[in-house]
Amino acid sequence: MYSSSLAQAPTLREPLHAPVAHLVRGGVTEGVHHGSVVVLGTDGEVAFQLGDIEVAFYPRSALKPVQAVAMVRAGLPLDGELLSLAAASHSGEERHLAGARRILEEAGLTEDDLRNVPDMPFGRPVRDTWIREGRGPSRLAQNCSGKHAAMLYTCKLNGWPLDGYLDPGHPLQQAIAEIVEDLTGQRIAHTTVDGCGAPLFSVSLHGLARAAARITTAVPGTPESRVADAMREQPEMASGAGRDVAELMRAVPGLLAKDGFEGVEVAALPDGRAIAVKISDGADRARVPVAAAALARAGVDPALLTAFAGEPLLGGGEPVGSVRPARALDPVSARV
């Protein structure tokens, strides 16, 4: 289904996004969200595309499942909730902080060894509580601390230096880059620094969807399967209570889903169907309904997706409109 040879890196240029969602208030289109969408069928081929799915872009945290696979391939022994946390953009709940501490303790390390950027919890309710309690930013509370703790553990197991583990030339990051290329099926176009301080690899939206499909269709017991199982079984550890991707994985049996900053989402089913979404302006209000529409386009029962149709637009405290996926995403018009 997938070629063993790597395609060339996607082109670095301005993306040619298309309208993917409309902001409709009182029956009038008030705004338009542009972006790109790709849907893969069970054969791994592109079944639907909208916008620019081959241009180089940054998957942001939607790439974390791939990074987790790379660490498991390198010997990371985590499973269950701790492996889910290693692939997380967590909300900073106590279970997330406790899990990150456990990963560090298993490695014989402490929070002081982390090199991610200190931050307040990502989850709004948790952040509000921290502010009321007068608590400040910490590396453990930052939403990528599970990934960073797992990175340090992987380094410890392999005898790689802990210092400089975020350097793109470090053995850990070289190993991760190799797996990014393996699972996406293409060369990395560019490398920069993500918000947490880790290397951020630029691939294509098509490549991101392909990587997710390869993870969910992997043979049981493989690193890919272990990551998929951990995230699906412990979706709140990979995100947080009430987060849309956790609720989406609960709603659609067998679905693996991961969001990323700047309007990115990837999701895949065990049979290889996969979708990837990039909202040009980074708006979550468009990401959620567009991703749901893409899943419906991939053949997921729309009845399972009604909770992800998007939040209503309010006028005087009452619903007066909504963010609606573009007509091209209507699953009635075509099926995978």
Side-chain angles (χ1 to χ4, degrees):
M1 183 166 65
Y2 295 102
S3 173
S4 59
S5 61
L6 293 178
Q8 292 298 313
T11 305
L12 292 167
R13 57 171 170 77
E14 184 176 346
L16 303 174
H17 291 308
V20 294
H22 296 87
L23 181 69
V24 180
R25 180 183 295 272
V28 174
T29 299
E30 186 176 31
V32 179
H33 291 283
H34 289 71
S36 296
V37 179
V38 61
V39 177
L40 302 185
T42 56
D43 58 359
E45 297 298 316
V46 175
F48 172 80
Q49 61 181 308
L50 182 63
D52 197 344
I53 69 169
E54 303 295 353
V55 68
F57 91 120
Y58 292 127
R60 302 300 298 270
S61 288
L63 198 63
K64 283 178 178 173
V66 178
Q67 293 171 308
V69 168
M71 289 187 278
V72 174
R73 286 195 189 184
L76 185 69
L78 302 178
D79 279 300
E81 64 179 10
L82 294 187
L83 182 53
S84 183
L85 184 62
S89 300
H90 65 71
S91 292
E93 299 162 20
E94 285 304 319
R95 59 179 159 179
H96 300 133
L97 276 60
R101 289 191 195 98
R102 283 170 56 196
I103 296 173
L104 291 168
E105 288 169 0
E106 288 191 24
L109 302 170
T110 70
E111 181 179 354
D112 292 338
D113 293 295
L114 294 171
R115 289 296 175 266
N116 56 319
V117 177
D119 200 357
M120 299 289 282
F122 176 71
R124 185 182 296 274
V126 186
R127 179 187 290 251
D128 290 346
T129 297
W130 274 50
I131 293 172
R132 285 195 301 270
E133 295 175 349
R135 302 169 72 177
S138 80
R139 296 186 192 276
L140 210 60
Q142 196 269 338
N143 76 90
C144 302
S145 65
K147 177 183 77 174
H148 281 254
M151 285 180 168
L152 285 168
Y153 194 1
T154 305
C155 290
K156 195 75 175 292
L157 290 166
N158 285 276
W160 295 332
L162 300 184
D163 290 341
Y165 76 93
L166 297 181
D167 189 308
H170 189 280
L172 169 70
Q173 301 302 337
Q174 290 292 299
I176 290 175
E178 180 180 345
I179 304 308
V180 169
E181 293 189 333
D182 177 28
L183 293 181
T184 62
Q186 60 189 180
R187 300 291 182 188
I188 292 168
H190 186 68
T191 302
T192 187
V193 182
D194 210 339
C196 66
L200 176 60
F201 305 110
S202 180
V203 293
S204 70
L205 198 65
H206 184 185
L208 178 64
R210 184 163 47 227
R214 292 188 64 183
I215 289 172
T216 58
T217 58
V219 175
T222 59
E224 292 89 335
S225 177
R226 284 171 56 191
V227 170
D229 288 345
M231 293 181 68
R232 290 182 295 210
E233 292 167 6
Q234 300 283 343
E236 286 82 12
M237 285 299 284
S239 53
R243 295 270 294 279
D244 59 85
V245 286
E247 294 186 352
L248 185 61
M249 284 191 275
R250 294 287 188 198
V252 181
L255 185 73
L256 174 70
K258 184 69 187 76
D259 56 346
F261 280 152
E262 298 303 324
V264 182
E265 185 157 340
V266 66
L269 290 154
D271 62 7
R273 286 175 291 161
I275 65 102
V277 169
K278 165 64 180 174
I279 305 300
S280 180
D281 62 6
D284 278 347
R285 72 178 184 183
R287 171 185 60 82
V288 176
V290 169
L295 285 168
R297 182 89 189 198
V300 173
D301 184 354
L304 300 175
L305 302 168
T306 55
F308 309 97
E311 298 180 3
L313 300 177
L314 302 181
E318 298 295 329
V320 294
S322 63
V323 177
R324 302 176 186 174
R327 190 178 301 274
L329 282 161
D330 184 352
V332 175
S333 63
R335 286 285 184 181
V336 175

